[in-house]
Amino acid sequence: MTRTRTPRWMLIAALVALTLIAAVASLLYGPVDLSVARLIVAAGGHGDAIATTILFDLRLPRTLLALIVGAALGLSGAALQGYLRNPLAEPSVLGTSNAAALGGVAALYFGFAQMHPAALPLLAIGGALLSLALLFALAGRSESPLTLILAGIAVGTLAVAGTSLALNLSPNPFAAMEIMTWLLGSLENRSFQHVWIALPCVVIGMTMLLWNGRALDALTLGEDAAQALGVDIRRMRLRLLVGTAIAVGGAVAVSGAIGFIGLIVPHLIRPLTDRSPSAILLPSAIGGAALLTLADIGVRIIPTTNELKLGVVTAFLGVPVFLVHLMREKRLW
């Protein structure tokens, strides 16, 4: 007997509708609001120059990136929580996000980002893949989730130390400010070039993660039972980790470090499903796209002297999730 609270098709349809509403709102609202009529005319190529510039040069790339990055982070968090069987798992648990951020910081620190626009994204993706190699070297052949978490903590701590070192040795305050601004995470002033950098990585990574749905379901019965059902644990782990590294590396490469989406979204989705890992994967991807898009709208419309950084807003969103989980654990004690 299943425990499904909401039919899967209804849940996905509702999330898709929410995502579409968020995407349209992202195109409409900002420092300069556009009416629906003005947006439609501009989209058709017959609008005024200001509306056309706002739509195609500012709003549309930013909206697409919010959807792409949010989907990658939401799906990665759901997949890692299913594999590690830890409700607080997210990409930073394996050090992937921190290592990708370190790659971006290296591009800024050594001036590669000024030499070529693609340098920062490439180094961020390279950092994520390098962290994966280091993770395998530390974890070895062990298939224990605990070993993987401990190795990930070591990799993440090393990446954070490297980032702190770069800040400490910054040649001037302006260089340190540039690094800190990027680390806070933002989709401001992004172009279609960033979309084409992130999209292939996210598509490849998400495909590899979605491939693991049935294997993650079998893993809930235990590793021995999963192997008895024909699941190759090592291959599944390889697909999951490589998929996470590629997807998160591509996302961090264009957005900077944005945390907590991978933690929040699966927690919001899980009560609406039968709680099996495969049932959470696709809804988490769609929900992550919607949540990050809504958060990005928030940073634009909240009245502040300087636009809030997206990573700051998502960090505040993550606090209630930790508190709810803490209260639930206290009740179990």
Side-chain angles (χ1 to χ4, degrees):
M1 181 177 179
T2 62
R3 294 176 293 173
T4 304
R5 297 185 181 182
T6 304
R8 181 179 173 82
W9 69 269
M10 288 183 61
L11 175 61
I12 292 177
L15 289 172
V16 168
L18 176 62
T19 303
L20 290 175
I21 292 171
V24 172
S26 180
L27 297 176
L28 293 173
Y29 300 113
V32 177
D33 293 343
L34 297 177
S35 66
V36 175
R38 194 178 179 192
L39 177 67
I40 293 173
V41 173
H46 305 291
D48 59 272
I50 294 177
T52 301
T53 300
I54 291 174
L55 175 61
F56 290 105
D57 293 346
L58 300 176
R59 300 269 174 89
L60 187 56
R62 184 167 183 166
T63 300
L64 292 175
L65 282 175
L67 296 173
I68 293 169
V69 172
L73 297 178
L75 177 58
S76 298
L80 289 176
Q81 288 180 16
Y83 175 67
L84 299 175
R85 284 156 281 177
N86 185 333
L88 297 181
E90 62 162 345
S92 61
V93 169
L94 299 182
T96 306
S97 299
N98 296 331
L102 177 60
V105 167
L108 294 171
Y109 181 82
F110 292 107
F112 299 138
Q114 284 72 38
M115 295 179 185
H116 196 280
L120 192 152
L122 288 176
L123 283 179
I125 296 170
L129 294 175
L130 183 61
S131 75
L132 182 65
L134 186 56
L135 187 68
F136 278 123
L138 292 174
R141 294 182 174 273
S142 174
E143 297 172 0
S144 168
L146 179 59
T147 302
L148 202 62
I149 291 174
L150 293 175
I153 291 173
V155 172
T157 302
L158 179 63
V160 170
T163 301
S164 300
L165 181 64
L167 286 169
N168 189 195
L169 299 179
S170 293
N172 56 69
F174 299 103
M177 183 62 67
E178 185 180 18
I179 292 173
M180 282 301 302
T181 300
W182 187 80
L183 285 174
L184 290 175
S186 176
L187 296 175
E188 187 179 8
N189 298 325
R190 300 303 191 265
S191 66
F192 278 106
Q193 182 181 28
H194 295 92
V195 174
W196 296 123
I197 289 171
L199 187 59
C201 297
V202 170
V203 169
I204 293 171
M206 289 180 62
T207 300
M208 298 179 72
L209 293 175
L210 290 170
W211 191 358
N212 288 316
R214 292 186 179 276
L216 291 175
D217 285 346
L219 194 62
T220 60
L221 302 174
E223 294 177 5
D224 293 337
Q227 289 178 331
L229 291 172
V231 175
D232 189 325
I233 301 294
R234 288 184 181 176
R235 288 188 178 182
M236 181 197 69
R237 184 178 74 165
L238 179 63
R239 286 196 303 267
L240 189 142
L241 296 183
V242 172
T244 299
I246 295 174
V248 173
V252 172
V254 297
S255 67
I258 297 177
F260 294 99
I261 294 294
L263 171 66
I264 299 169
V265 175
H267 278 276
L268 297 176
I269 297 296
R270 191 171 288 110
L272 303 175
T273 69
D274 62 2
R275 297 181 181 272
S276 63
S278 63
I280 299 171
L281 294 181
L282 183 57
S284 291
I286 304 171
L291 182 60
L292 193 62
T293 304
L294 292 171
D296 188 51
I297 296 171
V299 304
R300 281 182 271 166
I301 64 176
I302 294 174
T304 55
T305 305
N306 297 317
E307 182 176 295
L308 290 174
K309 297 302 178 183
L310 194 52
V312 175
V313 174
T314 57
F316 274 108
L317 292 175
V319 172
V321 176
F322 277 111
L323 293 178
V324 169
H325 186 74
L326 175 63
M327 297 305 296
R328 185 178 301 164
E329 290 297 317
K330 288 179 67 176
R331 286 196 297 268
L332 292 177
W333 296 342

